[in-house]
Structure formats: C-alpha cells, structure tokens
Amino acid sequence: MTQTSADPAVDLRGVGKRFQRHTDRRNSLKERIVRGRARSSEDFWAVRDVTLQIPKGSVYGLIGHNGSGKSTLLKMIGGIYRPSEGSITAQGRVAALIELGAGFHPDMTGRENIALNGSILGMPRKEISAVTEEIIEFSGLGDFINDPVKHYSSGMYVRLGFSVAVHMKPDVLLVDEVLAVGDEEFQRKCFDHLYALRRSGRTIIVVSHGLGQLEGLCDEIAWLERGVVQEHGTAVETIASYLRRVNAEESARHPMVAAVRRLRHDPGRPHRVDGHHRQPAAPRPLPGACRYL
Amino acid sequence: MLSDLYTRRALVWAFANRDFATRYRASVLGWAWSLIQPLATLIVFAAVFTVVFRIQAPPLGNGNGSSYAAFLFTGLVTWNLFSSLLNLSMSQLKSNGELLKKVQFPAWTPILGASIVQLVQILLELAVLIAMFLYLRNVGWTWILAIPILIGALLFSQGLGLMLSIVNARYGDVQYIVAVVLGALYFLTPVLYPMSMIEGKNEILGWIIRLNPMSWYVQAMHDAMYSLVAPSALVIGGLLLGGFLTFWAGFAIFNRWSEDIGEML
C-alpha cells in the first residue's frame, strides 16, 4: 500500500513536533526570574515519528480528529514551525493556502491586496503584475476589486485569497480546510483549478474534515491519530478504515444513536461479527457533500 | 546579511506600501497630522521652557543671538527618529502576528517596511527644521555632516528596535520596561536643555548623560545644524560605526531568535 516515489515532492522522515504545555506561558520576565529555567511544564508531542513520501504531482489528503496534528504537520511543511525532530525536504516553492485572507489589509482595495498577498507568498513583483488580471478574472469579483476588502463578504474574501494562492503557481500547495467556503460554483472552479495544477505536475496537500470531498479529490490520504500516522494509502481505503474506527468508537459510546444512524444509512445490511467485537459494517463510499450523517 | 536584505527588498517594499497607503487613510488631514503633532509639541515645550523655566539656548552659529525653539526642534527631530523607530518596531510583530503564524516569511520585513514609512515622516520634520534655520539665516556647510549623523542614528535605532522587538515577542514585559526607560532617557538626553547647563555643575549627571548613546547623536546634530560647528571626525566616525554595529547585532539577534516566531506570537 505504501507508494514510494523515487522523487517525492515532500519527503518527511521521522518528523515530530514537541510543544510545551503551559498553564500560563512563561513569557513574562517575572516568571522567568522566579522559576528560572527549570521545566515545570510537561512536553507534548503534537506530531510524532511521521514518515511519509508525498509523490510529485499528486493530491495528498490528511485526515484525523481535531487535534490529531494535521495542521501542525502542514505548518511544518510550510516552514512556519520547525520540526523538533526528523527532517522535511520539499522540492520547489511551497505556498500555503492556510486560512485565506490572512494577508489582507482591510483598508486596502482588492487589487492592492493582490500585490501585497503575492509578495508575502513570495512571488516576484513582475510575476504578480503579469497575473493580476488573471487573478481578478478568476476571483469573479469584477468591479469590487477596487473596493476596500473590509466591505467584502467572507465568500469574496476567500475567492480572492484562493485566486492569489493558486496563481502564484507553487510547486507544493498546502490547503487547510478552506475548500468548504465559497458558493457551489466557485468551489467547482477551485476543484477544476486544483486538478489543472496537478496535471501540470504540481503537488497539493489538503487537510480537511470533508471526507466526501477528499475522496473525490485525493490520490492518497494519511490518517493521523494523536500525532501519529495510523494508516496511509489510497484515498478510498484510508477513508474506509477511518470511518470504520469512527463508527466503532461512536457505537461504543452511544449504542442507540449509532444503531439509528446505521439504520438510516443502510437499513438492510446486517452486522458483521469480527472476532469477539461487534463492529458496524463498512460504510459505503459517501455521497458528495455528506460527512458522517 | 546584506544579501538577505537585498533579496527580500520587494517584500519590505510591499509592507512599506501597505503602511504608507493605510497610515492616514481614514483621516481628513492625512499627512498633515505627521507635522501637526511635532509642531504642537514644539510650541508647547518652547513656551513652557522659555517662559517658566527660562532656559537659555546657546548662541546660533550665525552669531545672531539664539533661538530656543530651533535648538529644541533640532533635538526633538533626532529624538523622535530614535523613539518612533523603537516603538514602531516593537509593535510590528504583534500587529502582523496573524500573518506570521500562517505564512512563512522573514519577520523583519514588516518592521523595516514600517520604518521606511516612518522615514518619510522624519524627512518631513527635517524639512521643517531646515525651513526654520533658513528663516533664521543660520546656514552652514556643516549641515552636510547631518547626513552621516542621521544615518548612524537610523541604523542605531533600527538595530535596537529589531533587538527589542524580538525580545518583546518572547517576554511581553519588555515593551513596558522600554516605555519607562524611554521616558527617563528623554530627560537624560540634551534635547530640552543644552549640555552647557550640566557640564561643570553636576559631574555625575554629566557622566550619566554621556553614557547615553542618544546624547551623542543629539549633540552632534546640535553642533552641525544649530551651532554650525563641525563635530570631530572621530565623533562622526564613532556615531556611524556605532550605528552599523548596532544594526548588525540587532539583525543577527533578531534572526537567531525569530526562527520560532510562528509559535511565540
């Protein structure tokens, strides 16, 4: 199942990230002086021992519960966090599409923000002016591009941010849970564009809870659990085992709810007995927009 | 280090553009405010210190009496350069925090961008100062020496600003300490009074003032712009070298400490 590419776009080897858990962060001098350097805080590994080869030109998904380390891993790939152990090698320009619009200044117009956002993402100025019209066209903002972005709706914000990020033609594009925003039409446009990017040999790494979306989009998926890779492989298989686990945990906690839910999903299917555990049947591939219910 | 500064100049410039475009966007008088503020300070101080405290300014370089207002403004411009760069640098990491947590780029770029915009303000104040001296007919070749002095002061302030901003990102107390120290340092710099009022009268205070690097920059500016006396080459060289060294140290410390900036903010 492990697909090792000879020349991966991103090569993660034994990557771990340790955070210190503070009841209150020791960033005041008083704390520092009173308690000195002694570590009273305990260490906490948000990501541990992750070894993954993300093939060039693929769409790679990261799934897992909240707090499983997906976003931390993405931030390390994007260079915002340094790994505490292990190494990350990425080929070419890495651009993050993490929480779009972070680089927008509310008082500046959309057009001015394109220039700013592009420079922050590392695009040379000539390149920015070359693609500005294309970005505006893609965002579909029309005349609003000359209005201050503080008057934009959240959807308009996302559209502009997405347009900038994908037009800077990164070699590796990091997408953190942003595809769910924007209307149906723009979403489809985004997907088309992501596919086009992939066709041109670029790599896309997506973090999302939208399993249906991921299943359609990704070639491979890694499932993280408490910072550790639980399983990785083809999108369909990984999502299936992830759902199996989620459903099993849920039935253990709320047997009645789970039973009802199962009935609603596929009333006709019998339970399968695996060993001495009663497990719910493997779910069918989910329909497009559906998550767990 | 210089190559870093060069390769990232586009980003520094983009931040400067942003700050320039938005600085006074919501105000009616716009850039006029950047002159109204220091001029108001000047008028108030000049009134209080000549009328209430009766401070006598040293003689002007042209020999036509003295002007406390001109003396004060020379010092104020130099001091403002220092304190504004310091404060601006320290606030930049916080105000760009959301960005620094999400996108990877060198954290000093928004700081230098903001400083470039502040440079415009400094130049405006200098223009007013020059106009003032032209009105007083106090002009001399020593004015040229203000250029190396100010470059030294800029580098010194920016270096210190970079250093303090990154320490402040880790220890939030630093900004309060800096506010207190700046308040005291203001009076330990010969801005409001000439050094001649201290020298020979209070040796200990004199030494304290001389230990303050900003005193040297302010005094050199007084010499070159107001008294039309050339500071010694040693002083000018020292001020330039001090500026370069402080900037170099500040930049190096900043880069060393800002590797984990995404987690610190």
Side-chain angles (χ1 to χ4, degrees):
Chain A
M1 205 147 64
T2 322
Q3 196 182 333
T4 37
S5 164
D7 192 21
V10 181
D11 193 1
L12 300 152
R13 289 190 188 274
V15 171
K17 182 68 191 172
R18 182 183 56 222
F19 287 115
Q20 280 166 38
R21 291 172 70 181
H22 298 292
T23 33
D24 56 337
R25 280 180 55 197
R26 198 180 314 171
N27 57 355
S28 86
L29 278 178
K30 189 192 84 187
E31 291 279 295
R32 190 82 187 192
I33 291 160
V34 172
R35 287 201 233 157
R37 287 192 80 103
R39 292 257 155 89
S40 61
S41 50
E42 52 184 303
D43 288 345
F44 156 73
W45 289 88
V47 169
R48 193 85 205 250
D49 204 22
V50 171
T51 300
L52 292 171
Q53 273 81 44
I54 296 172
K56 202 172 249 177
S58 70
V59 180
Y60 204 96
L62 296 173
I63 57 172
H65 291 109
N66 288 329
S68 60
K70 310 181 294 287
S71 296
T72 305
L73 190 60
L74 210 62
K75 281 189 167 181
M76 284 195 283
I77 298 172
I80 295 162
Y81 291 165
R82 282 190 302 166
S84 313
E85 58 175 33
S87 70
I88 300 176
T89 19
Q91 289 193 7
R93 185 156 67 175
V94 180
L97 213 145
I98 305 166
E99 284 166 68
L100 291 166
F104 288 168
H105 193 287
D107 285 330
M108 288 178 15
T109 68
R111 190 184 290 273
E112 290 169 325
N113 269 306
I114 290 176
L116 176 64
N117 216 317
S119 328
I120 293 169
L121 291 173
M123 223 190 315
R125 210 161 354 150
K126 268 188 212 129
E127 214 174 293
I128 298 175
S129 35
V131 292
T132 298
E133 290 310 317
E134 212 176 307
I135 291 172
I136 296 169
E137 172 70 31
F138 187 84
S139 69
L141 285 170
D143 289 343
F144 288 110
I145 201 69
N146 295 317
D147 286 1
V149 299
K150 64 181 169 192
H151 299 311
Y152 284 16
S153 71
S154 52
M156 289 160 83
Y157 237 81
V158 174
R159 280 153 61 161
L160 187 58
F162 185 88
S163 307
V164 175
V166 293
H167 280 91
M168 71 170 290
K169 305 199 172 57
D171 298 301
V172 180
L173 179 67
L174 309 177
V175 183
D176 191 353
E177 198 67 73
V178 281
L179 296 175
V181 213
D183 59 22
E184 197 63 32
E185 190 200 335
F186 187 73
Q187 260 187 50
R188 210 162 298 159
K189 224 162 136 186
C190 293
F191 278 101
D192 287 347
H193 204 91
L194 289 181
Y195 285 126
L197 275 180
R198 178 170 63 166
R199 270 198 303 279
S200 61
R202 297 168 203 280
T203 311
I204 301 160
I205 306 176
V206 193
V207 163
S208 179
H209 291 285
L211 296 179
Q213 243 179 18
L214 283 185
E215 189 163 19
L217 186 67
C218 297
D219 303 308
E220 286 181 54
I221 285 182
W223 160 24
L224 288 171
E225 190 80 46
R226 293 205 183 98
V228 180
V229 176
Q230 199 73 22
E231 197 177 314
H232 65 108
T234 66
V236 178
E237 284 171 52
T238 315
I239 287 182
S241 17
Y242 175 66
L243 279 178
R244 234 180 343 259
R245 167 77 66 86
V246 170
N247 287 341
E249 278 171 5
E250 186 137 321
S251 349
R253 253 187 319 232
H254 312 287
M256 282 307 283
V257 175
V260 171
R261 210 168 268 193
R262 267 198 306 277
L263 283 172
R264 276 173 57 184
H265 266 285
D266 43 1
R269 220 189 278 192
H271 288 165
R272 200 174 52 197
V273 181
D274 284 341
H276 43 272
H277 287 295
R278 285 193 82 198
Q279 284 197 334
R284 298 172 297 183
L286 287 167
C290 173
R291 290 189 185 185
Y292 308 135
L293 191 63
Chain B
M1 174 184 120
L2 279 176
S3 67
D4 266 5
L5 287 171
Y6 185 74
T7 51
R8 295 302 188 143
R9 69 196 186 284
L11 185 53
V12 171
W13 197 245
F15 279 117
N17 265 330
R18 175 193 69 181
D19 292 349
F20 193 83
T22 55
R23 190 163 193 176
Y24 294 106
R25 191 163 270 195
S27 71
V28 180
L29 290 181
W31 278 91
W33 282 117
S34 50
L35 284 182
I36 294 171
Q37 259 178 345
L39 285 179
T41 316
L42 173 68
I43 291 167
V44 172
F45 280 19
V48 170
F49 285 94
T50 47
V51 176
V52 182
F53 292 103
R54 296 184 185 285
I55 289 182
Q56 190 64 49
L60 276 163
N62 62 5
N64 287 336
S66 67
S67 160
Y68 180 71
F71 174 83
L72 176 60
F73 203 57
T74 311
L76 265 184
V77 168
T78 319
W79 176 263
N80 281 352
L81 176 161
F82 172 68
S83 71
S84 65
L85 284 189
L86 226 56
N87 286 322
L88 209 59
S89 298
M90 280 200 301
S91 64
Q92 286 309 303
L93 289 184
K94 282 259 153 64
S95 59
N96 289 286
E98 284 309 301
L99 206 52
L100 287 163
K101 276 190 271 186
K102 279 157 199 155
V103 191
Q104 205 251 334
F105 61 92
W108 48 263
T109 49
I111 297 183
L112 293 194
S115 297
I116 287 176
V117 178
Q118 186 58 28
L119 207 60
V120 177
Q121 155 101 37
I122 293 163
L123 289 175
L124 280 173
E125 288 178 21
L126 269 175
V128 173
L129 183 70
I130 286 171
M132 224 160 150
F133 280 129
L134 286 177
Y135 173 78
L136 293 167
R137 291 178 209 289
N138 185 59
V139 183
W141 70 270
T142 52
W143 277 17
I144 299 167
L145 297 174
I147 295 171
I149 298 169
L150 287 175
I151 288 175
L154 280 171
L155 289 170
F156 174 75
S157 313
Q158 189 59 76
L160 211 55
L162 283 169
M163 231 181 276
L164 290 172
S165 69
I166 198 66
V167 179
N168 185 50
R170 204 169 283 197
Y171 306 111
D173 311 68
V174 171
Q175 54 183 318
Y176 303 108
I177 298 173
V178 169
V180 173
V181 172
L182 268 185
L185 224 51
Y186 181 57
F187 291 97
L188 294 174
T189 307
V191 175
L192 297 170
Y193 51 85
M195 251 336 244
S196 56
M197 281 182 75
I198 310 289
E199 273 164 346
K201 287 171 188 146
N202 191 331
E203 280 309 316
I204 296 169
L205 189 60
W207 271 108
I208 294 174
I209 293 172
R210 265 189 288 271
L211 279 176
N212 167 13
M214 273 319 288
S215 299
W216 292 82
Y217 288 102
V218 168
Q219 258 193 296
M221 279 295 283
H222 278 150
D223 286 348
M225 297 291 291
Y226 183 91
S227 310
L228 303 180
V229 177
S232 75
L234 196 68
V235 167
I236 293 201
L239 293 180
L240 261 177
L241 188 68
F244 272 112
L245 287 179
T246 313
F247 184 80
W248 175 77
F251 197 74
I253 289 174
F254 189 92
N255 275 339
R256 171 82 53 88
W257 277 47
S258 65
E259 281 175 335
D260 290 319
I261 189 82
E263 294 168 46
M264 282 194 304
L265 292 167

